[in-house]
Amino acid sequence: MRLFSQRAFLRMCRYMRRAAFLVCSAHIFERVPGTLNTMKVLVLGPGGREHAIIRALLRDPEVTEVHSAPGNAGIAQDVPVHAIDANDPAQATALARELNADLVVIGPEAPLVAGVSDALREAGFDVFGPSAAAAQLEGSKAFAKQVMEEASVPTARAYVAKNAAEAQAALDEFGAPYVVKDDGLAAGKGVVVTEDRAAALEHAQACFNAGGTVVIEEFLDGPEVSLFVISDGKNVLPLSPAQDFKRIFDNDEGPNTGGMGAYTPLPWLPEGFVQEVVEKVARPTVARMAERGTPFVGVLFCGLAVTSRGVRVIEFNARFGDPETQAVLARLRTPLGQLLRAAARGEISEGTELDWDPRTAVDVVMAAENYPGTPRKGDAISGLDEANALEGVHVIHAGTVVSGEEIHTAGGRVLAVVALGENLGAARNAAYEGVRAISWAGAQYRTDIALKAVENRIHIPAPRD
């Protein structure tokens, strides 16, 4: 007679392993005395970010059940998946009701802008993810610039252009390198940074032809940093800063992608950087959103440049970033489900101390042939078990699907190979060992993720007025 399913047995083992942590750690989150609170979580989204979130949720001893919609082949190996349109508020709400979910976590930007979080909150669910109105911090770069101006947040000078003549005037004012951004959602691929004025105008015209507008900015010198800040609508809590790699090819060449890899922490950041961002960027922005009547509950993703004139905001996103999430959450020891539920309920304490694995995390994205154009799909993937068996390595799925007995490619960014190491060099070597174990026809990846940091070639520009 079988008393426990394999999943239940593994979950029981996970509770036992975490028991010492629960007894010895500070009580960051409120618990019912003498009991273990339980939580059923629904995660909406199909990609690598969601797989990383789910893996972290499964490490939380109070999370007894996780479901995903729609998920992917890798997520389906870890938790039950449900084939719904996660961008549809009615379908998402119906599934949350069916599951009797205690917490709904919204991963991508599209359902946020579509109002999925609003529908779920109206139905009485705890939701981690901003309202449609608050998600305009990502949905419209022009709106984000307006909020930053109102909150006195340091950012690049910018001009919103509605036609070619306005675009030409803005490009001439700022000069090269030219920075042209699609004002709306573009999955991380709507930005062109170029020395070629004609190419900048071509991108702007493509946005105009699609019925949109563009934001043209001054170029910001200095290295880029991604910082996730958890917000409960009033209080903010920063995670570990990361750096991602947006171009498709080595040496930051080729077109922009959604991100080809990331690492965390960043040994070259000046002391006090995170607190400076909290004080100058995150807290003023969250306060201004609350003053507008659109409190921001979720992740404020601060895309930053460390320039010769100090920290400047490049852009805001309204959710966990991909691929930074894969690296950041690999190091997080604080129970994620409890953290996200506290944010959803407006119960974050500003004095909260997060617990981090002292090791470094690196992830390398493996993409399909022809990405970031129209990616080739349907190729069988080999070597996943071999990569996952490596010490300190795990594989996050993004664009994958089950086909018979095999896992096939089903999107542009297919996998992220994540590794933890005692230092940046060790983590990087382990991640690339995992990458080399995996193959499919036309697979592509960058070979220089975190290389400049390992070789101490990242420099912050000297201060100037």
Side-chain angles (χ1 to χ4, degrees):
M1 179 177 177
R2 184 168 143 184
L3 297 179
F4 297 100
S5 68
Q6 183 182 27
R7 187 183 303 276
F9 176 75
L10 292 174
R11 185 175 293 121
M12 181 177 67
C13 293
R14 185 168 65 250
Y15 290 164
M16 294 174 66
R17 289 195 302 269
R18 295 290 288 174
F21 172 80
L22 288 173
V23 172
C24 299
S25 64
H27 284 227
I28 296 173
F29 309 105
E30 182 180 353
R31 295 188 176 87
V32 178
T35 68
L36 181 68
N37 294 335
T38 62
M39 194 187 328
K40 182 188 293 185
V41 185
L42 169 61
V43 178
L44 299 179
R49 164 188 40 238
E50 290 73 44
H51 196 188
I53 291 169
I54 287 166
R55 283 180 57 94
L57 287 170
L58 290 172
R59 298 196 299 267
D60 186 331
E62 293 194 4
V63 173
T64 54
E65 201 171 325
V66 179
H67 291 255
S68 174
N72 57 45
I75 292 173
Q77 293 176 336
D78 295 335
V79 301
V81 297
H82 304 267
I84 69 164
D85 179 359
N87 297 334
D88 185 314
Q91 291 188 43
T93 303
L95 178 59
R97 285 199 181 103
E98 178 186 333
L99 297 174
N100 194 26
D102 298 302
L103 174 68
V104 182
V105 178
I106 302 176
E109 61 273 26
L112 294 171
V113 174
V116 170
S117 64
D118 302 83
L120 286 162
R121 285 194 180 92
E122 289 172 7
F125 292 99
D126 285 338
V127 182
F128 184 79
S131 65
Q136 285 302 301
L137 279 176
E138 177 170 4
S140 170
K141 294 176 179 62
F143 173 80
K145 286 290 187 182
Q146 180 181 346
V147 171
M148 282 186 264
E149 181 178 358
E150 294 171 359
S152 299
V153 169
T155 186
R157 293 182 300 130
Y159 186 89
V160 179
K162 302 179 180 64
N163 54 55
E166 292 179 352
Q168 290 175 22
L171 292 173
D172 291 340
E173 178 180 345
F174 292 137
Y178 303 105
V179 181
V180 184
K181 300 180 177 181
D182 188 338
D183 185 36
L185 295 178
K189 294 177 282 188
V191 180
V192 166
V193 181
T194 179
E195 296 278 353
D196 186 339
R197 186 175 183 277
L201 282 173
E202 182 179 0
H203 179 65
Q205 190 60 54
C207 296
F208 299 144
N209 292 343
T213 57
V214 297
V215 175
I216 296 174
E217 295 183 349
E218 65 173 331
F219 177 76
L220 296 176
D221 60 349
E224 295 186 13
V225 178
S226 300
L227 183 66
F228 303 152
V229 179
I230 306 294
S231 170
D232 66 357
K234 179 177 62 176
N235 297 318
V236 298
L237 184 62
L239 302 187
S240 176
Q243 185 176 61
D244 77 328
F245 298 77
K246 296 181 174 64
R247 303 278 188 163
I248 184 65
F249 300 130
D250 286 3
N251 301 314
D252 294 322
E253 297 180 355
N256 271 353
T257 72
M260 294 300 294
Y263 67 99
T264 185
L266 309 182
W268 46 268
L269 274 181
E271 187 175 351
F273 174 85
V274 171
Q275 191 57 35
E276 180 182 0
V277 175
V278 168
E279 296 299 332
K280 293 184 177 180
V281 177
R283 188 173 283 124
T285 300
V286 168
R288 182 59 191 142
M289 292 297 288
E291 291 166 358
R292 279 173 156 263
T294 55
F296 189 96
V297 177
V299 175
L300 180 64
F301 172 2
C302 304
L304 308 159
V306 190
T307 79
S308 56
R309 292 182 290 120
V311 176
R312 295 290 185 271
V313 175
I314 299 171
E315 64 177 354
F316 285 139
N317 290 333
R319 36 72 190 180
F320 281 111
D322 186 341
E324 296 97 326
T325 301
Q326 289 87 316
V328 171
L329 293 188
R331 295 185 59 239
L332 182 66
R333 287 176 170 172
T334 299
L336 182 64
Q338 297 168 54
L339 176 61
L340 301 189
R341 181 170 60 182
R345 294 178 174 180
E347 297 173 353
I348 285 181
S349 169
E350 289 255 5
T352 298
E353 293 286 339
L354 299 180
D355 185 23
W356 296 97
D357 190 316
R359 294 175 293 175
T360 294
V362 174
D363 71 78
V364 179
V365 170
M366 301 184 70
E369 182 178 350
N370 200 42
Y371 178 77
T374 302
R376 171 173 160 168
K377 301 178 182 180
D379 291 302
I381 304 171
S382 64
L384 291 169
D385 291 341
E386 290 80 358
N388 277 313
L390 295 171
E391 183 177 357
V393 174
H394 63 271
V395 180
I396 294 291
H397 288 240
T400 62
V401 66
V402 175
S403 180
E405 298 295 318
E406 298 178 322
I407 293 179
H408 286 201
T409 63
R413 291 183 296 170
V414 179
L415 304 169
V417 181
V418 187
L420 288 164
E422 295 304 317
N423 54 53
L424 184 55
R428 185 176 183 276
N429 290 340
Y432 276 107
E433 185 179 359
V435 168
R436 289 190 293 270
I438 300 170
S439 65
W440 69 84
Q444 59 173 326
Y445 58 89
R446 283 183 59 157
T447 65
D448 65 346
I449 301 301
L451 181 59
K452 286 185 179 180
V454 169
E455 296 177 345
N456 296 315
R457 291 191 288 120
I458 296 181
H459 303 290
I460 296 173
R464 64 180 177 85
D465 294 333

